[in-house]
Every structure is written in C-alpha cells, then in structure tokens.
Amino acid sequence: MWLLKRIAFYLLIGAIVLIAVFPFYYAIVTSLKSGTALFQADPWPKAPSLGNYRNVLAEGAFVHNLLNSLVVSGAVVALSLFLGVTAAYALARIRFRGRSALLFAILWVSMFPQVAVLAGLFELVRMFGLYNSLFALIFSYMIFTLPFTVWVLTAFVRDLPVEVEEAAILDGATPWIIITRIFLPLMWPALATTGLLAFIGAWNEFLFALTFTSNDARRTVPVAIALLSGNSQFEIPWGNIMAASVIVTVPLVVLVLIFQRKIVSGLTAGGVKG
Amino acid sequence: MRQRVRSAWLFLAPMLLVLAAAAGWPLARTVYFSFTDASLSDLDARQWVGFANYVSVLRMPSGRVIYDGLLLDPVWWGAVWNTVRFAVVSVTCETILGMVVALVLNAEFPGRGIVRAAILIPWAVPTIVSAKMWQWMLNDQFGIINVVLINLGLIDHKIAWTASADTAMAAVLIVDIWKTTPFMALLILAALQMLPREIIEVARLDGANPWQIFWRVTVPLIRPAVMVAVIFRALDALRIFDLIYVLTPNNAHTKSMSVFARENLFEFDKFAYGSAASTLLFLILALLTILTIRIGRISLEGGR
C-alpha cells in the first residue's frame, strides 16, 4: 500500500513535469528539423540542422525585431523603476491625505482591460506623431508595468525599518538624499524582481505592439512571430516560426530559472498582498 | 512635516502624470468616442450621436421600426458569452490543477527543486509563442497530438482542433490552462508554506485523516490567499486577447470581447462602434472589480 502510494505520487510528478516541459521541448525539436522531416511527428530530430535559425536570422527583419524588443523592454524597465521608486518612497513613508485612496486607484489601473484605452491611446499616439515608433510602445506599456511596480515597491519600502531614515532626517537630509543614499542601496532585491517582471511583461506584450506599429522594421518579436507567414496560407513556415520562438523564449527561460526565488516572491507580493 | 508632504506630492507627480496620460485620458477619450460617429480614416470629422452606437431606433417611411446598436448585436453578445465561458472554465480548472501541483510541491521529495523549475517554464514562455507552439502541436495534418491520439486509437480521424467549431474553445482553454496553472500553483504554494505546521500536527494527533485535514484545516486557512489569486486571474481572463487572436483567428466560437472591440476599431472601420464595445467591456470589468472588492474585503485583509 505504501509502495503503491509512492509509485502513484511519482507518476503524478512525472506527468506534471512532462506536461510542463514537453511543448517547449517539441518546439526546439521542430526548430531543428528541416525539409520533409518537419511533417513527421517524431519526438526528436533525426537529422538535426540549424537551417531554420539561419533562415530566420538572415531575413534581417527579425534581427531588427529583436533589437526593438530589447530597446522597448529596457526603456520600460528603466522608466517604470525610476517613477516607481520615488512614488513608492512617498506612498510608504510620508503621511498625507488621500494616500490609501491613491494606492487603490493605482491598483485599479492595473485591472484596466488594455482594449478599453486602445482607442484613446491611438488618438494620442497619432496626435503626437508617435505612430509606428517605439516611443508609442514605451509610453503605452507604462499602463501595466507602472501600477505593479509602484505597488510592490511600496510594500517593500513599508517593511524597511524606520530607524535608518530617522537618523538621516535628524541630520537634515532631504527626501531626495534619503531615497538615493539610504533606500536605493537597500532596495536592490525588490528592484531586481520588479524590473524582471516588468521586462517580461514588456517583452511579451502583443496588443499595443500590433496596433501601434505598421511595418516589419518597427515590430517587436511577438508581433513578428504572430505575423510570420509563407507565400500562401498553405505554406506556413513552421520550422522558421519555431526557430524564432525558441530564440525569443530561451533568454526568458534562463532568466526565470536563475531568478526563480525572486520571481516567486515578487509574484506573491504582487498577488497575495495586493 | 509640511515640507515632507510637499515633497511627497513632488515625488508622486511624475508617476501620476504618466498614469493619467497613459490610462486616465485615453480611457476618457474611448468613452467619448463611443458617443460619436468617428471613423478610423478621419478621427476629427466626428459628430455627437448620443447612445446611437449602443441602441438606435430607426423609423422607416413605411412605418417599420428598425432597432440597431451594440446592445442588440448578437455578435457582441456571442463575444460576451464566449469570454465569460472561457473565464469561468479556465479559472476553475487552473485553481483545481494549481492546488494539485502546489500540494505536490509542498511535499518533500528528492528533486523538488527541479520540478519547481520545470513548472515555471510554461509561465516563462511568451503568450504568442505558446499560442504558436500549441497551434503546431494541434495542427490537423501534421500535429503530434493528432498522431499520438490516432496511434493510441482514441480518435479515428484527424481533428482540426483550432479551426472546427466544437473544439476551438477547448483548444484555447487547453493552452491557457497550460500557461497559467503555474502562476496559480506558485501562489497557492506560497500560502501553503505560510501555514503553521503545528496546526496540522495537532489535527493529525486528534485522529483526523489527510482528507479531513485538507478540507477542514488547510482549505479554510489558505482560502483568503487563493481567493485573491482567483480574482486576479478572473479579471485577467475576462480581458483575454492575444491567445485567441493568434490561436484561433476569425473564429466566431472563440471571439472574446477584446477581440470583438479591436476588430471593429481597426479592421472593420467602425471606430466608434469598437469604442462602445471597449467602454462596455470596461464597465463590466469595473463592476466586477468593485463587487469582488466589496465581497472580498475580509479576504484581502485576511491575506496579510
């Protein structure tokens, strides 16, 4: 009976791991197949080749797309961390009227369906001549990275001991000095977590990127992959699509595995405490 | 003190300005557009039409009366029904499966770290990539899932999973559940690990069996945290766009509210009509949020 239970338990674990890992494994396998091997559903490549990767990278546009995604995600992280840190200090450490109402409003923005702002954002983007530029994406991504960043950083600052700051206030330090000299060095763990989650969010975003860019050279990777197609709808280049998918996903998987614990604590701070 | 309050607003100002410009103003404009006849080609040439995009009544010279508008549009209500059905089924399945995975990860066994790392992979894969990966696996001609199912004798002909009317929603659900269960599992696991071990010890000493311990001790204690996760996921599921747009393009059986709105805004040249759909989607979500915060107030505070 004990043995049976043990076996059942390990079978369950095996099933969980298989289901979690297989789709991505199969994408890698597909990306290494070429020619007719693509259309045989072998679970491993019989004659592995890097041809699909060569095709995707040689096409040129895809390298542009990768760079676009990197620039947009990097800028989004930098901007939302900068705005988030100063706001978090004010929200966590300074008492003023309307503070909790403000926190609720910020949380509320993070629940906004993106489609609800799409029409208004489109008008704004066109008005400022940002259509088909990366600035439109950096600006619009603030709507989902900023509330989350502010919320998690505020929770983090609130839990820091008050004493560190009191000594500085007695010494006559201004709030700006307090933030840059005292809080910033203590906040690295929270900054890494929120920065990483903001990066992933921006890297994966699809709706705004699809709507606010119009040509191949300006697209980010998710849009490029979604729109990657062959000469006709019967010739979908699955090998290329999978190679592009693997290129885009591997850095994320590596990051997530390295920062596992930080991400889990960030998710629980944003989810459970929020 | 007053100086500190002033600097607080100074520090908040940039963040508030950006949020107002990226969220508040566009939302207000979307609502405004829904009361006009704006078109994509010329947003400026618009006129106020009141509620005509929502409901309009047309009296023909012959005396016939034609009712029109979003609130009477069967396609819109189909999208609402698809979205609600999707949200209910996916969040329910994710919660149950997430609970199972969390309980497994909460047990001690060799290789637990590896299993936890494996669980994170679906979460790390971008939504568009997971849509493409699964579209390939679910491909009717060459997909590995059809091949495996036929070899096992479970089906006798190849199924066009993402295209056919009966299975398209199931395909969307499979991919979403695959991708989001890890999030649920990790949140539930965090709640499980905060449980004081003594309580479970005491219950066991009192002669409770594992089943009873789970339902009478564990579930009530982690419920607040799980409820918060469920609310977050449900709000997320109700605004789904990218997975459905990429996995099952132009399929009336999976079209969600967000897909409907974007389609009208940018593909059908019915900008104002799409704005009206966006506004309704926002209202539905706002109402649900307020409701859940009201009902969940206890659980929000209990979760801390």
Side-chain angles (χ1 to χ4, degrees):
Chain A
M1 190 58 201
W2 179 84
L3 189 68
L4 229 83
K5 263 190 186 165
R6 223 54 218 155
I7 291 172
F9 183 69
Y10 278 103
L11 277 178
L12 181 62
I13 292 175
I16 291 173
V17 173
L18 182 74
I19 293 170
V21 176
F22 184 79
F24 187 51
Y25 165 79
Y26 192 64
I28 299 176
V29 168
T30 306
S31 74
L32 295 172
K33 291 178 181 172
S34 55
T36 52
L38 264 173
F39 305 111
Q40 264 119 41
D42 303 310
W44 52 84
K46 285 194 173 129
S49 91
L50 293 174
N52 294 321
Y53 290 88
R54 231 170 285 138
N55 289 344
V56 165
L57 292 175
E59 250 171 57
F62 188 70
V63 180
H64 268 281
N65 302 333
L66 270 176
L67 283 176
N68 291 343
S69 275
L70 266 178
V71 169
V72 169
S73 309
V76 165
V77 170
L79 198 56
S80 49
L81 283 187
F82 172 73
L83 295 171
V85 167
T86 48
Y89 171 74
L91 284 168
R93 280 306 163 88
I94 302 176
R95 296 193 158 275
F96 58 89
R97 245 191 304 161
R99 184 171 65 164
S100 54
L102 203 58
L103 267 171
F104 252 101
I106 293 167
L107 181 69
W108 194 50
V109 170
S110 72
M111 313 249 175
F112 270 31
Q114 285 181 26
V115 163
V117 295
L118 198 60
L121 264 178
F122 180 75
E123 186 200 25
L124 209 60
V125 160
R126 271 232 303 226
M127 207 158 69
F128 286 101
L130 296 175
Y131 184 70
N132 202 24
S133 94
L134 299 184
F135 290 110
L137 302 188
I138 296 169
F139 170 66
S140 56
Y141 288 5
M142 287 298 129
I143 192 177
F144 59 88
T145 59
L146 200 50
F148 167 81
T149 312
V150 170
W151 194 261
V152 174
L153 290 180
T154 303
F156 187 85
V157 174
R158 202 188 281 139
D159 291 343
L160 289 176
V162 194
E163 291 78 23
V164 285
E165 190 192 350
E166 275 171 352
I169 293 178
L170 286 182
D171 288 344
T174 63
W176 178 250
I177 298 279
I178 294 176
I179 291 182
T180 49
R181 298 282 170 78
I182 296 172
F183 278 101
L184 222 43
L186 292 171
M187 283 173 76
W188 278 117
L191 291 178
T193 310
T194 45
L196 196 64
L197 290 173
F199 186 89
I200 294 175
W203 185 262
N204 296 351
E205 203 283 335
F206 181 67
L207 177 59
F208 290 156
L210 177 73
T211 309
F212 299 145
T213 58
S214 63
N215 64 348
D216 270 356
R218 292 292 162 77
R219 281 182 186 131
T220 55
V221 221
V223 183
I225 290 179
L227 300 181
L228 207 60
S229 55
N231 299 327
S232 74
Q233 59 167 337
F234 302 106
E235 270 183 65
I236 301 171
W238 286 108
N240 291 359
I241 292 178
M242 290 302 137
S245 298
V246 172
I247 293 174
V248 178
T249 310
V250 163
L252 281 194
V253 169
V254 171
L255 275 177
V256 165
L257 293 186
I258 292 175
F259 293 102
Q260 265 198 64
R261 287 188 181 276
K262 284 214 184 315
I263 286 178
V264 172
S265 65
L267 283 180
T268 47
V272 179
K273 279 195 185 166
Chain B
M1 201 60 219
R2 178 178 273 157
Q3 190 217 337
R4 269 170 73 75
V5 172
R6 205 177 306 137
S7 63
W9 284 107
L10 196 69
F11 283 150
L12 284 170
M15 184 269 296
L16 291 177
L17 269 177
V18 170
L19 273 191
W25 173 254
L27 178 69
R29 293 301 284 178
T30 302
V31 176
Y32 167 73
F33 279 131
S34 77
F35 293 110
T36 68
D37 61 355
S39 81
L40 187 60
S41 43
D42 193 356
L43 287 181
D44 297 326
R46 58 172 179 259
Q47 274 179 335
W48 182 266
V49 296
F51 281 92
N53 286 314
Y54 296 94
V55 191
S56 64
V57 185
L58 223 84
R59 263 172 233 291
M60 303 302 267
S62 62
R64 247 182 78 210
V65 183
I66 298 174
Y67 297 94
D68 201 10
L70 188 63
L71 290 172
L72 299 163
D73 185 344
V75 182
W76 162 252
W77 289 112
V80 173
W81 168 235
N82 284 340
T83 315
V84 170
R85 196 169 46 143
F86 165 79
V88 170
V89 178
S90 70
V91 175
T92 309
C93 292
E94 282 155 26
T95 311
I96 295 168
L97 292 172
M99 180 72 87
V100 171
V101 174
L103 286 172
V104 166
L105 285 174
N106 198 37
E108 273 171 36
F109 58 90
R112 183 165 70 159
I114 297 170
V115 176
R116 188 161 69 175
I119 291 296
L120 274 167
I121 288 180
W123 181 81
V125 173
T127 308
I128 299 306
V129 170
S130 59
K132 281 290 172 191
M133 268 164 32
W134 280 92
Q135 201 174 38
W136 172 233
M137 292 205 303
L138 292 167
N139 186 290
D140 53 342
Q141 291 304 309
F142 316 111
I144 190 166
I145 289 181
N146 273 343
V147 171
V148 168
L149 288 179
I150 282 187
N151 285 345
L152 288 174
L154 290 174
I155 53 175
D156 51 10
H157 61 281
K158 294 189 166 176
I159 298 175
W161 291 97
T162 55
S164 90
D166 325 322
T167 54
M169 183 51 98
V172 172
L173 282 165
I174 289 172
V175 182
D176 190 71
I177 292 167
W178 175 79
K179 179 151 174 51
T180 343
T181 298
F183 172 80
M184 272 301 199
L186 290 174
L187 289 187
I188 296 174
L189 179 64
L192 282 177
Q193 287 177 339
M194 285 201 285
L195 284 186
R197 301 229 164 233
E198 302 85 51
I199 296 183
I200 291 167
E201 269 318 303
V202 169
R204 190 172 298 148
L205 287 176
D206 282 347
N209 63 37
W211 191 249
Q212 286 173 320
I213 293 178
F214 177 72
W215 283 110
R216 302 275 174 79
V217 182
T218 311
V219 168
L221 282 174
I222 62 171
R223 211 182 57 183
V226 176
M227 280 315 291
V228 174
V230 166
I231 292 168
F232 267 69
R233 270 301 306 144
L235 291 174
D236 217 27
L238 286 169
R239 55 189 176 186
I240 183 165
F241 173 78
D242 38 10
L243 176 60
I244 289 175
Y245 185 85
V246 174
L247 187 69
T248 59
N250 300 323
N251 190 324
H253 299 275
T254 58
K255 186 178 290 175
S256 69
M257 289 189 272
S258 290
V259 175
F260 176 94
R262 203 204 104 96
E263 212 170 58
N264 278 289
L265 280 171
F266 296 105
E267 283 161 32
F268 298 166
D269 196 17
K270 288 164 88 178
F271 197 80
Y273 199 62
S275 298
S278 304
T279 306
L280 271 193
L281 167 60
F282 175 78
L283 281 180
I284 293 172
L285 272 158
L287 267 178
L288 282 175
T289 314
I290 292 166
L291 264 178
T292 46
I293 286 179
R294 288 247 145 173
I295 300 166
R297 169 139 281 176
I298 314 136
S299 69
L300 262 174
E301 277 154 16
R304 282 179 190 230

